Amino acid sequence: MLPPGLRSPREVTLYYDEVYFSLINSGQAHPFIYPWATAGAAVVLLYLLIDHRKSSFLKSARFPIFGLLLAFQAWCIATNRARSPAAAFGVGLISSWGTLWVAAIMVANDCQVDFKRIEQGLDEAVDETEKPTGNDLATNGTLQGQPGNPTVRQRRPVDPEPSSDVQKTSCEPSDRLYWQSYPSSPFSARVSWVADVFCSFRGVGWNWQTSGIPPPPKWVEARLRMEDDDAGINDEGGNKEIKTSRTGIRRCADRSALLMDTAISLTIGYVLLDIIKTLMHHDPYFWGYVNSAAPAYLPTILRNSRLLTKTYRLLLSLAGIYTALWTIFKLGPAFFCGVLGPKWLGVRGEPWMNPADTFGSYNTVLTKGLAGWWGGWWHQTFRLAFEAPTIRLLESTGIDKHSTSGKALSLFTAFFLSGCLHASGSYTQLGDTRPLLGPMRFFLLQAVGILVQTVSTQQLKRAGVVDKCPKIFRQATNFVLVHIWLYYTAPLLVDDFATGGVWLFEPVPFSPLRGLGFGAPDDEFFAWWHGLFWWRSGDRWWETGIAL
């Protein structure tokens, strides 16, 4: 429980310092240390670097290896803690996410057998397992799964022309694009392939690319189909092409346009984060005092209304989460396309391999309600990890995925896994959190809300009510219902963030606003005064390393 009387976020952070060192020194918790914290992932990576496609024994070994990872990550969640309150949340989140991701690519799927990625190179770089077929690209440009794998989303192919031989095209050999399966050789290509599959959470450039991402440029699709260089490959208009998905995600073919958009977004994100953090530093709610009175800087009409004060804090919490994630995700294109680029990363440094957006258009919420909020507007980074176990579960139970029960099972499984992810982060925090009654309950209630709204809409459609309502009325109804639902359920999550210390995280190293005196009395221009990590020397080698 946070003691009363702390006067600023800095004092709260220093209090959590005392809590952390008390837990470590008393032996109640272990410090979260790199590289020891990566031991479970290291075992998985070493296993994936061994070609097990022709060995039933090695292929079956992926299950006990996943069990080993599961045990190690569970131990980390149960015993490891970090000094920074935000990093403490990350201990549980990263540990549980690593487990879910490995389950998706190694248990629900066998990535060495089921997955392929787009690669660029010489003809001789393609071995017998890497020869492309027309079945790997769908009509909408999204990448589809293998026919024998029910877990990877299947889509209708375009003019499939399977071939056992590599076809010649008019493009230069070094510019060839092809579908690369797990490489037999050289070993460096295998390392690149495994590292890519381990980090490509949205599957851009893979045959399991998540929904919502627009297709690659037409000339990329043409090369993958082994067609002649007549589909806009050298056309300037094709290189300037920007594709937008139905959910509002953009995919640029022009590097300059992508980097300009990214630079502007990062600048805007930095300014917004500084404003949001400065406002939070004046409101004890965001320090962990969730029952505190409204901050003095709010207008009287807001301070005197519990509803309006709660609404303000929920909106500022949403702005903090959205802006932080939105800005962090923009660092991907900036680094992989701008800093490294094709010179170091090959095709993965191309602009069309780095979508400009992670969040979709808010219009999806207006058209689809709560399902649009979580399935289109919000980021879909975790989608494959939530979907893959669900598909296996439906397959084992024999339930049709298109049936009402199949959709309900898929819905609740996905939100249960999301609840596990965030509840793990809640559990490893230093504050007084409620993992099951907070984050877990919040995400399960989102599944309930989506199911209720979906069933209700279907009934209204059958009765002919929906078709009689103007579009603007339907959108307004969705807007109101979604925000009423979140008004009553979101405190389960954001209050837990507050009591755990998530809002104490400093997203910007330098704060112009706080440097000018707009922050708390003890705020400074340099916001990372507490430090993000430090070197810790322990009694044993696994207790020595970089501590968070």
Side-chain angles (χ1 to χ4, degrees):
M1 179 68 69
L2 195 64
L6 299 179
R7 296 167 294 179
S8 70
R10 182 184 291 255
E11 291 188 6
V12 176
T13 301
L14 293 175
Y15 164 75
Y16 281 129
D17 264 8
E18 296 177 4
V19 173
Y20 170 79
F21 285 111
S22 175
L23 290 172
I24 300 302
N25 294 334
S26 65
Q28 298 179 60
H30 299 284
F32 191 72
I33 300 287
Y34 283 102
W36 172 243
T38 65
V43 172
V44 173
L45 288 172
L46 289 174
Y47 167 74
L48 290 178
L49 288 173
I50 302 172
D51 191 344
H52 63 243
R53 291 173 295 177
K54 297 180 180 179
S55 171
S56 57
F57 173 77
L58 289 176
K59 188 174 182 179
S60 300
R62 71 185 198 271
F63 299 112
I65 287 176
F66 171 74
L68 180 64
L69 172 75
L70 178 62
F72 180 80
Q73 301 295 63
W75 175 82
C76 285
I77 293 172
T79 64
N80 281 211
R81 296 295 178 268
R83 178 184 174 189
S84 164
F89 180 82
V91 171
L93 187 74
I94 293 172
S95 298
S96 57
W97 169 243
T99 305
L100 288 176
W101 183 244
V102 172
I105 67 173
M106 207 169 75
V107 178
N109 298 285
D110 182 354
C111 63
Q112 288 192 9
V113 176
D114 301 326
F115 293 171
K116 293 181 181 181
R117 69 171 182 172
I118 297 175
E119 185 56 285
Q120 182 179 36
L122 301 172
D123 286 350
E124 55 262 32
V126 187
D127 66 20
E128 289 298 319
T129 67
E130 296 165 347
K131 294 171 183 175
T133 69
N135 288 332
D136 290 316
L137 194 62
T139 54
N140 61 357
T142 48
L143 312 174
Q144 76 168 39
Q146 304 307 305
N149 178 25
T151 306
V152 181
R153 184 185 298 274
Q154 299 292 311
R155 296 181 173 90
R156 182 169 58 89
V158 172
D159 300 328
E161 298 179 1
S163 172
S164 60
D165 298 312
V166 175
Q167 303 176 32
K168 299 294 181 182
T169 70
S170 58
C171 57
E172 293 296 324
S174 61
D175 292 333
R176 282 196 61 253
L177 293 177
Y178 61 92
W179 288 105
Q180 183 190 43
S181 299
Y182 183 84
S184 299
S185 62
F187 187 74
S188 59
R190 189 180 299 182
V191 171
S192 171
W193 196 95
V194 170
D196 196 13
V197 76
F198 212 72
C199 300
S200 297
F201 301 143
R202 294 197 293 167
V204 179
W206 288 82
N207 63 339
W208 45 270
Q209 178 176 288
T210 57
S211 62
I213 299 175
K218 293 179 180 178
W219 63 266
V220 173
E221 297 178 336
R223 287 188 180 179
L224 289 172
R225 290 194 298 264
M226 310 301 293
E227 294 177 355
D228 288 340
D229 190 0
D230 60 357
I233 298 174
N234 296 318
D235 178 67
E236 186 173 347
N239 290 335
K240 301 293 183 181
E241 181 182 18
I242 298 179
K243 290 194 173 184
T244 305
S245 71
R246 57 182 174 80
T247 59
I249 304 294
R250 295 170 300 155
R251 193 168 188 170
C252 303
D254 181 59
R255 182 173 182 267
S256 297
L258 174 63
L259 294 181
M260 177 60 70
D261 177 85
T262 301
I264 293 172
S265 298
L266 286 173
T267 302
I268 294 173
Y270 193 99
V271 172
L272 290 177
L273 284 173
D274 192 23
I275 294 173
I276 292 169
K277 278 297 298 181
T278 301
L279 290 173
M280 288 181 172
H281 276 207
H282 286 284
D283 189 350
Y285 168 86
F286 295 98
W287 316 346
Y289 296 111
V290 293
N291 296 317
S292 61
Y297 63 80
L298 288 180
T300 304
I301 188 174
L302 294 182
R303 295 201 309 270
N304 292 339
S305 170
R306 182 178 178 183
L307 184 148
L308 293 178
T309 299
K310 178 180 177 181
T311 300
Y312 161 77
R313 285 170 168 168
L314 288 175
L315 290 175
L316 189 59
S317 298
L318 174 62
I321 298 170
Y322 180 92
T323 307
L325 293 176
W326 181 75
T327 306
I328 289 171
F329 289 140
K330 290 292 182 180
L331 293 174
F335 182 72
F336 295 116
C337 183
V339 177
L340 297 179
K343 178 180 179 181
W344 296 99
L345 296 179
V347 72
R348 262 146 291 286
E350 296 288 352
W352 52 270
M353 285 289 284
N354 294 271
D357 304 307
T358 304
F359 289 88
S361 169
Y362 192 80
N363 189 59
T364 311
V365 181
L366 301 180
T367 56
K368 295 188 177 181
L370 197 60
W373 178 290
W374 293 112
W377 178 61
W378 202 250
H379 74 90
Q380 304 297 299
T381 308
F382 304 142
R383 192 179 188 102
L384 179 73
F386 295 161
E387 284 185 343
T390 303
I391 295 174
R392 286 299 186 197
L393 182 60
L394 291 172
E395 182 187 38
S396 62
T397 57
I399 300 175
D400 181 7
K401 64 179 181 180
H402 299 294
S403 65
T404 302
S405 58
K407 291 178 180 179
L409 181 60
S410 300
L411 182 67
F412 277 92
T413 301
F415 278 98
F416 170 74
L417 293 176
S418 184
C420 290
L421 194 68
H422 293 83
S424 297
S426 173
Y427 181 81
T428 57
Q429 287 182 276
L430 300 175
D432 187 22
T433 59
R434 303 190 303 166
L436 297 180
L437 296 179
M440 177 62 78
R441 187 162 49 148
F442 167 76
F443 283 103
L444 290 178
L445 283 174
Q446 303 317 299
V448 172
I450 292 174
L451 184 63
V452 170
Q453 187 175 23
T454 301
V455 172
S456 300
T457 302
Q458 290 174 348
Q459 295 299 322
L460 292 173
K461 282 183 178 180
R462 292 193 184 101
V465 175
V466 173
D467 295 334
K468 295 178 182 179
C469 296
K471 180 180 179 181
I472 186 67
F473 178 79
R474 297 197 301 269
Q475 290 182 333
T477 301
N478 278 329
F479 179 86
V480 171
L481 290 177
V482 166
H483 289 86
I484 288 177
W485 183 259
L486 291 173
Y487 175 85
Y488 286 105
T489 61
L492 295 172
L493 180 67
V494 297
D495 285 0
D496 199 75
F497 282 172
T499 56
V502 166
W503 304 123
L504 299 174
F505 171 64
E506 288 290 353
V508 296
F510 303 101
S511 171
L513 288 177
R514 281 170 273 175
L516 292 171
F518 292 103
D522 54 0
D523 278 341
E524 299 173 353
F525 175 64
F526 183 62
W528 284 354
W529 61 273
H530 185 256
L532 300 178
F533 53 84
W534 78 98
W535 182 263
R536 184 181 189 276
S537 297
D539 296 332
R540 305 174 183 85
W541 65 266
W542 59 84
E543 295 176 344
T544 301
I546 299 174
L548 298 182

mmCIF file of all heavy atoms in Angstrom, residues 295-327:
data_model
loop_
_atom_site.group_PDB
_atom_site.id
_atom_site.type_symbol
_atom_site.label_atom_id
_atom_site.label_comp_id
_atom_site.label_asym_id
_atom_site.label_seq_id
_atom_site.Cartn_x
_atom_site.Cartn_y
_atom_site.Cartn_z
ATOM 1 N N PRO A 295 -7.243 17.233 -9.465
ATOM 2 C CA PRO A 295 -6.140 18.204 -9.383
ATOM 3 C C PRO A 295 -6.647 19.638 -9.468
ATOM 4 O O PRO A 295 -7.669 19.929 -10.105
ATOM 5 C CB PRO A 295 -5.277 17.845 -10.603
ATOM 6 C CG PRO A 295 -6.198 17.142 -11.544
ATOM 7 C CD PRO A 295 -7.164 16.396 -10.676
ATOM 8 N N ALA A 296 -5.902 20.545 -8.854
ATOM 9 C CA ALA A 296 -6.339 21.941 -8.736
ATOM 10 C C ALA A 296 -6.371 22.660 -10.074
ATOM 11 O O ALA A 296 -7.087 23.663 -10.220
ATOM 12 C CB ALA A 296 -5.422 22.677 -7.769
ATOM 13 N N TYR A 297 -5.615 22.189 -11.062
ATOM 14 C CA TYR A 297 -5.561 22.913 -12.335
ATOM 15 C C TYR A 297 -6.806 22.719 -13.187
ATOM 16 O O TYR A 297 -7.008 23.422 -14.181
ATOM 17 C CB TYR A 297 -4.311 22.525 -13.133
ATOM 18 C CG TYR A 297 -4.244 21.083 -13.556
ATOM 19 C CD1 TYR A 297 -4.945 20.614 -14.669
ATOM 20 C CD2 TYR A 297 -3.453 20.175 -12.866
ATOM 21 C CE1 TYR A 297 -4.858 19.292 -15.073
ATOM 22 C CE2 TYR A 297 -3.368 18.854 -13.256
ATOM 23 C CZ TYR A 297 -4.071 18.410 -14.360
ATOM 24 O OH TYR A 297 -3.985 17.098 -14.738
ATOM 25 N N LEU A 298 -7.666 21.744 -12.830
ATOM 26 C CA LEU A 298 -8.889 21.542 -13.591
ATOM 27 C C LEU A 298 -9.904 22.649 -13.295
ATOM 28 O O LEU A 298 -9.947 23.171 -12.175
ATOM 29 C CB LEU A 298 -9.503 20.183 -13.251
ATOM 30 C CG LEU A 298 -8.793 18.928 -13.761
ATOM 31 C CD1 LEU A 298 -9.554 17.689 -13.329
ATOM 32 C CD2 LEU A 298 -8.627 18.951 -15.271
ATOM 33 N N PRO A 299 -10.734 22.980 -14.275
ATOM 34 C CA PRO A 299 -11.809 23.966 -14.012
ATOM 35 C C PRO A 299 -12.733 23.478 -12.902
ATOM 36 O O PRO A 299 -12.886 22.267 -12.676
ATOM 37 C CB PRO A 299 -12.534 24.050 -15.359
ATOM 38 C CG PRO A 299 -11.542 23.573 -16.374
ATOM 39 C CD PRO A 299 -10.698 22.557 -15.672
ATOM 40 N N THR A 300 -13.357 24.400 -12.241
ATOM 41 C CA THR A 300 -14.217 24.069 -11.102
ATOM 42 C C THR A 300 -15.318 23.092 -11.487
ATOM 43 O O THR A 300 -15.648 22.174 -10.724
ATOM 44 C CB THR A 300 -14.847 25.346 -10.521
ATOM 45 O OG1 THR A 300 -13.806 26.258 -10.166
ATOM 46 C CG2 THR A 300 -15.679 25.037 -9.291
ATOM 47 N N ILE A 301 -15.892 23.271 -12.671
ATOM 48 C CA ILE A 301 -16.985 22.401 -13.099
ATOM 49 C C ILE A 301 -16.537 20.949 -13.201
ATOM 50 O O ILE A 301 -17.309 20.022 -12.934
ATOM 51 C CB ILE A 301 -17.568 22.895 -14.450
ATOM 52 C CG1 ILE A 301 -18.845 22.097 -14.776
ATOM 53 C CG2 ILE A 301 -16.543 22.770 -15.565
ATOM 54 C CD1 ILE A 301 -19.570 22.616 -16.002
ATOM 55 N N LEU A 302 -15.272 20.718 -13.556
ATOM 56 C CA LEU A 302 -14.738 19.350 -13.623
ATOM 57 C C LEU A 302 -14.400 18.830 -12.229
ATOM 58 O O LEU A 302 -14.666 17.669 -11.914
ATOM 59 C CB LEU A 302 -13.496 19.310 -14.517
ATOM 60 C CG LEU A 302 -13.682 19.611 -16.006
ATOM 61 C CD1 LEU A 302 -12.353 19.479 -16.743
ATOM 62 C CD2 LEU A 302 -14.701 18.671 -16.634
ATOM 63 N N ARG A 303 -13.820 19.680 -11.403
ATOM 64 C CA ARG A 303 -13.420 19.237 -10.058
ATOM 65 C C ARG A 303 -14.630 18.876 -9.201
ATOM 66 O O ARG A 303 -14.552 17.996 -8.337
ATOM 67 C CB ARG A 303 -12.607 20.323 -9.355
ATOM 68 C CG ARG A 303 -11.274 20.630 -10.002
ATOM 69 C CD ARG A 303 -10.327 21.292 -9.016
ATOM 70 N NE ARG A 303 -10.933 22.435 -8.347
ATOM 71 C CZ ARG A 303 -10.889 23.687 -8.784
ATOM 72 N NH1 ARG A 303 -10.263 23.955 -9.923
ATOM 73 N NH2 ARG A 303 -11.457 24.675 -8.104
ATOM 74 N N ASN A 304 -15.750 19.551 -9.420
ATOM 75 C CA ASN A 304 -16.937 19.319 -8.596
ATOM 76 C C ASN A 304 -17.805 18.172 -9.097
ATOM 77 O O ASN A 304 -18.821 17.851 -8.487
ATOM 78 C CB ASN A 304 -17.782 20.595 -8.530
ATOM 79 C CG ASN A 304 -17.083 21.699 -7.758
ATOM 80 O OD1 ASN A 304 -16.182 21.426 -6.957
ATOM 81 N ND2 ASN A 304 -17.487 22.937 -7.988
ATOM 82 N N SER A 305 -17.426 17.580 -10.210
ATOM 83 C CA SER A 305 -18.202 16.468 -10.777
ATOM 84 C C SER A 305 -17.368 15.201 -10.773
ATOM 85 O O SER A 305 -16.310 15.143 -11.415
ATOM 86 C CB SER A 305 -18.652 16.805 -12.201
ATOM 87 O OG SER A 305 -19.204 15.669 -12.835
ATOM 88 N N ARG A 306 -17.843 14.201 -10.038
ATOM 89 C CA ARG A 306 -17.122 12.926 -10.009
ATOM 90 C C ARG A 306 -17.095 12.291 -11.386
ATOM 91 O O ARG A 306 -16.079 11.714 -11.795
ATOM 92 C CB ARG A 306 -17.810 11.987 -9.009
ATOM 93 C CG ARG A 306 -17.109 10.651 -8.858
ATOM 94 C CD ARG A 306 -17.804 9.769 -7.819
ATOM 95 N NE ARG A 306 -17.169 8.476 -7.715
ATOM 96 C CZ ARG A 306 -17.609 7.498 -6.938
ATOM 97 N NH1 ARG A 306 -18.686 7.705 -6.173
ATOM 98 N NH2 ARG A 306 -16.971 6.344 -6.899
ATOM 99 N N LEU A 307 -18.203 12.394 -12.118
ATOM 100 C CA LEU A 307 -18.272 11.816 -13.464
ATOM 101 C C LEU A 307 -17.263 12.475 -14.391
ATOM 102 O O LEU A 307 -16.549 11.790 -15.140
ATOM 103 C CB LEU A 307 -19.694 11.966 -14.013
ATOM 104 C CG LEU A 307 -19.991 11.330 -15.386
ATOM 105 C CD1 LEU A 307 -21.446 10.860 -15.449
ATOM 106 C CD2 LEU A 307 -19.728 12.299 -16.539
ATOM 107 N N LEU A 308 -17.196 13.799 -14.369
ATOM 108 C CA LEU A 308 -16.286 14.504 -15.269
ATOM 109 C C LEU A 308 -14.824 14.303 -14.877
ATOM 110 O O LEU A 308 -13.947 14.199 -15.743
ATOM 111 C CB LEU A 308 -16.634 15.992 -15.288
ATOM 112 C CG LEU A 308 -17.996 16.354 -15.904
ATOM 113 C CD1 LEU A 308 -18.248 17.852 -15.832
ATOM 114 C CD2 LEU A 308 -18.080 15.870 -17.353
ATOM 115 N N THR A 309 -14.560 14.239 -13.572
ATOM 116 C CA THR A 309 -13.189 13.970 -13.127
ATOM 117 C C THR A 309 -12.736 12.581 -13.565
ATOM 118 O O THR A 309 -11.617 12.396 -14.052
ATOM 119 C CB THR A 309 -13.084 14.086 -11.599
ATOM 120 O OG1 THR A 309 -13.424 15.414 -11.201
ATOM 121 C CG2 THR A 309 -11.681 13.764 -11.115
ATOM 122 N N LYS A 310 -13.632 11.613 -13.397
ATOM 123 C CA LYS A 310 -13.315 10.255 -13.820
ATOM 124 C C LYS A 310 -13.107 10.195 -15.327
ATOM 125 O O LYS A 310 -12.169 9.534 -15.814
ATOM 126 C CB LYS A 310 -14.438 9.307 -13.398
ATOM 127 C CG LYS A 310 -14.226 7.862 -13.826
ATOM 128 C CD LYS A 310 -15.388 6.981 -13.361
ATOM 129 C CE LYS A 310 -15.236 5.544 -13.845
ATOM 130 N NZ LYS A 310 -16.375 4.697 -13.410
ATOM 131 N N THR A 311 -13.965 10.885 -16.076
ATOM 132 C CA THR A 311 -13.834 10.907 -17.533
ATOM 133 C C THR A 311 -12.505 11.519 -17.946
ATOM 134 O O THR A 311 -11.820 11.006 -18.840
ATOM 135 C CB THR A 311 -14.995 11.699 -18.160
ATOM 136 O OG1 THR A 311 -16.236 11.080 -17.803
ATOM 137 C CG2 THR A 311 -14.863 11.750 -19.674
ATOM 138 N N TYR A 312 -12.135 12.626 -17.298
ATOM 139 C CA TYR A 312 -10.853 13.273 -17.614
ATOM 140 C C TYR A 312 -9.686 12.317 -17.381
ATOM 141 O O TYR A 312 -8.782 12.204 -18.216
ATOM 142 C CB TYR A 312 -10.689 14.529 -16.760
ATOM 143 C CG TYR A 312 -9.262 15.013 -16.671
ATOM 144 C CD1 TYR A 312 -8.664 15.692 -17.728
ATOM 145 C CD2 TYR A 312 -8.493 14.753 -15.527
ATOM 146 C CE1 TYR A 312 -7.346 16.106 -17.649
ATOM 147 C CE2 TYR A 312 -7.176 15.174 -15.447
ATOM 148 C CZ TYR A 312 -6.612 15.846 -16.509
ATOM 149 O OH TYR A 312 -5.298 16.252 -16.434
ATOM 150 N N ARG A 313 -9.693 11.634 -16.247
ATOM 151 C CA ARG A 313 -8.583 10.730 -15.937
ATOM 152 C C ARG A 313 -8.538 9.527 -16.878
ATOM 153 O O ARG A 313 -7.457 9.065 -17.264
ATOM 154 C CB ARG A 313 -8.696 10.271 -14.483
ATOM 155 C CG ARG A 313 -8.283 11.365 -13.491
ATOM 156 C CD ARG A 313 -8.619 11.025 -12.068
ATOM 157 N NE ARG A 313 -7.956 11.947 -11.140
ATOM 158 C CZ ARG A 313 -8.234 12.037 -9.845
ATOM 159 N NH1 ARG A 313 -9.177 11.261 -9.304
ATOM 160 N NH2 ARG A 313 -7.585 12.889 -9.082
ATOM 161 N N LEU A 314 -9.694 9.034 -17.270
ATOM 162 C CA LEU A 314 -9.732 7.929 -18.231
ATOM 163 C C LEU A 314 -9.203 8.380 -19.591
ATOM 164 O O LEU A 314 -8.449 7.644 -20.249
ATOM 165 C CB LEU A 314 -11.157 7.393 -18.368
ATOM 166 C CG LEU A 314 -11.710 6.602 -17.180
ATOM 167 C CD1 LEU A 314 -13.173 6.240 -17.423
ATOM 168 C CD2 LEU A 314 -10.888 5.331 -16.946
ATOM 169 N N LEU A 315 -9.596 9.579 -20.027
ATOM 170 C CA LEU A 315 -9.129 10.089 -21.317
ATOM 171 C C LEU A 315 -7.629 10.355 -21.295
ATOM 172 O O LEU A 315 -6.919 10.070 -22.269
ATOM 173 C CB LEU A 315 -9.890 11.361 -21.689
ATOM 174 C CG LEU A 315 -11.361 11.176 -22.068
ATOM 175 C CD1 LEU A 315 -12.027 12.526 -22.302
ATOM 176 C CD2 LEU A 315 -11.489 10.298 -23.312
ATOM 177 N N LEU A 316 -7.118 10.895 -20.177
ATOM 178 C CA LEU A 316 -5.682 11.144 -20.082
ATOM 179 C C LEU A 316 -4.914 9.819 -20.022
ATOM 180 O O LEU A 316 -3.820 9.699 -20.593
ATOM 181 C CB LEU A 316 -5.374 11.993 -18.851
ATOM 182 C CG LEU A 316 -3.934 12.518 -18.754
ATOM 183 C CD1 LEU A 316 -3.592 13.381 -19.968
ATOM 184 C CD2 LEU A 316 -3.727 13.319 -17.466
ATOM 185 N N SER A 317 -5.500 8.812 -19.369
ATOM 186 C CA SER A 317 -4.873 7.481 -19.341
ATOM 187 C C SER A 317 -4.824 6.891 -20.743
ATOM 188 O O SER A 317 -3.796 6.340 -21.173
ATOM 189 C CB SER A 317 -5.657 6.551 -18.414
ATOM 190 O OG SER A 317 -5.658 7.017 -17.082
ATOM 191 N N LEU A 318 -5.946 6.992 -21.475
ATOM 192 C CA LEU A 318 -5.984 6.488 -22.847
ATOM 193 C C LEU A 318 -4.968 7.226 -23.711
ATOM 194 O O LEU A 318 -4.246 6.600 -24.503
ATOM 195 C CB LEU A 318 -7.386 6.656 -23.423
ATOM 196 C CG LEU A 318 -7.558 6.310 -24.913
ATOM 197 C CD1 LEU A 318 -7.236 4.848 -25.167
ATOM 198 C CD2 LEU A 318 -8.975 6.642 -25.377
ATOM 199 N N ALA A 319 -4.907 8.552 -23.549
ATOM 200 C CA ALA A 319 -3.947 9.339 -24.324
ATOM 201 C C ALA A 319 -2.519 8.917 -24.005
ATOM 202 O O ALA A 319 -1.671 8.821 -24.909
ATOM 203 C CB ALA A 319 -4.135 10.828 -24.030
ATOM 204 N N GLY A 320 -2.239 8.625 -22.736
ATOM 205 C CA GLY A 320 -0.900 8.198 -22.351
ATOM 206 C C GLY A 320 -0.526 6.853 -22.952
ATOM 207 O O GLY A 320 0.575 6.682 -23.481
ATOM 208 N N ILE A 321 -1.445 5.895 -22.879
ATOM 209 C CA ILE A 321 -1.171 4.560 -23.424
ATOM 210 C C ILE A 321 -1.017 4.625 -24.938
ATOM 211 O O ILE A 321 -0.054 4.110 -25.523
ATOM 212 C CB ILE A 321 -2.296 3.580 -23.052
ATOM 213 C CG1 ILE A 321 -2.391 3.421 -21.535
ATOM 214 C CG2 ILE A 321 -2.074 2.221 -23.702
ATOM 215 C CD1 ILE A 321 -3.623 2.669 -21.072
ATOM 216 N N TYR A 322 -2.007 5.260 -25.589
ATOM 217 C CA TYR A 322 -2.010 5.314 -27.053
ATOM 218 C C TYR A 322 -0.789 6.056 -27.586
ATOM 219 O O TYR A 322 -0.094 5.561 -28.491
ATOM 220 C CB TYR A 322 -3.293 5.992 -27.538
ATOM 221 C CG TYR A 322 -3.395 6.099 -29.046
ATOM 222 C CD1 TYR A 322 -4.021 5.095 -29.780
ATOM 223 C CD2 TYR A 322 -2.871 7.187 -29.726
ATOM 224 C CE1 TYR A 322 -4.116 5.178 -31.160
ATOM 225 C CE2 TYR A 322 -2.950 7.277 -31.098
ATOM 226 C CZ TYR A 322 -3.576 6.278 -31.811
ATOM 227 O OH TYR A 322 -3.649 6.370 -33.184
ATOM 228 N N THR A 323 -0.510 7.235 -27.031
ATOM 229 C CA THR A 323 0.596 8.044 -27.541
ATOM 230 C C THR A 323 1.941 7.363 -27.309
ATOM 231 O O THR A 323 2.820 7.406 -28.184
ATOM 232 C CB THR A 323 0.596 9.435 -26.881
ATOM 233 O OG1 THR A 323 -0.693 10.032 -27.034
ATOM 234 C CG2 THR A 323 1.623 10.345 -27.522
ATOM 235 N N ALA A 324 2.106 6.731 -26.155
ATOM 236 C CA ALA A 324 3.371 6.039 -25.874
ATOM 237 C C ALA A 324 3.591 4.887 -26.859
ATOM 238 O O ALA A 324 4.663 4.755 -27.448
ATOM 239 C CB ALA A 324 3.381 5.525 -24.437
ATOM 240 N N LEU A 325 2.573 4.061 -27.046
ATOM 241 C CA LEU A 325 2.706 2.939 -27.971
ATOM 242 C C LEU A 325 2.852 3.424 -29.408
ATOM 243 O O LEU A 325 3.676 2.909 -30.172
ATOM 244 C CB LEU A 325 1.487 2.018 -27.848
ATOM 245 C CG LEU A 325 1.340 1.260 -26.527
ATOM 246 C CD1 LEU A 325 0.042 0.467 -26.517
ATOM 247 C CD2 LEU A 325 2.523 0.333 -26.291
ATOM 248 N N TRP A 326 2.048 4.416 -29.792
ATOM 249 C CA TRP A 326 2.095 4.960 -31.144
ATOM 250 C C TRP A 326 3.484 5.497 -31.468
ATOM 251 O O TRP A 326 4.029 5.252 -32.554
ATOM 252 C CB TRP A 326 1.041 6.065 -31.255
ATOM 253 C CG TRP A 326 0.922 6.729 -32.589
ATOM 254 C CD1 TRP A 326 0.348 6.219 -33.721
ATOM 255 C CD2 TRP A 326 1.372 8.057 -32.924
ATOM 256 N NE1 TRP A 326 0.405 7.152 -34.734
ATOM 257 C CE2 TRP A 326 1.028 8.281 -34.277
ATOM 258 C CE3 TRP A 326 2.007 9.062 -32.212
ATOM 259 C CZ2 TRP A 326 1.303 9.479 -34.929
ATOM 260 C CZ3 TRP A 326 2.290 10.259 -32.862
ATOM 261 C CH2 TRP A 326 1.947 10.454 -34.198
ATOM 262 N N THR A 327 4.088 6.196 -30.508
ATOM 263 C CA THR A 327 5.417 6.767 -30.726
ATOM 264 C C THR A 327 6.489 5.686 -30.745
ATOM 265 O O THR A 327 7.395 5.713 -31.599
ATOM 266 C CB THR A 327 5.739 7.795 -29.624
ATOM 267 O OG1 THR A 327 4.683 8.764 -29.555
ATOM 268 C CG2 THR A 327 7.051 8.504 -29.904
#
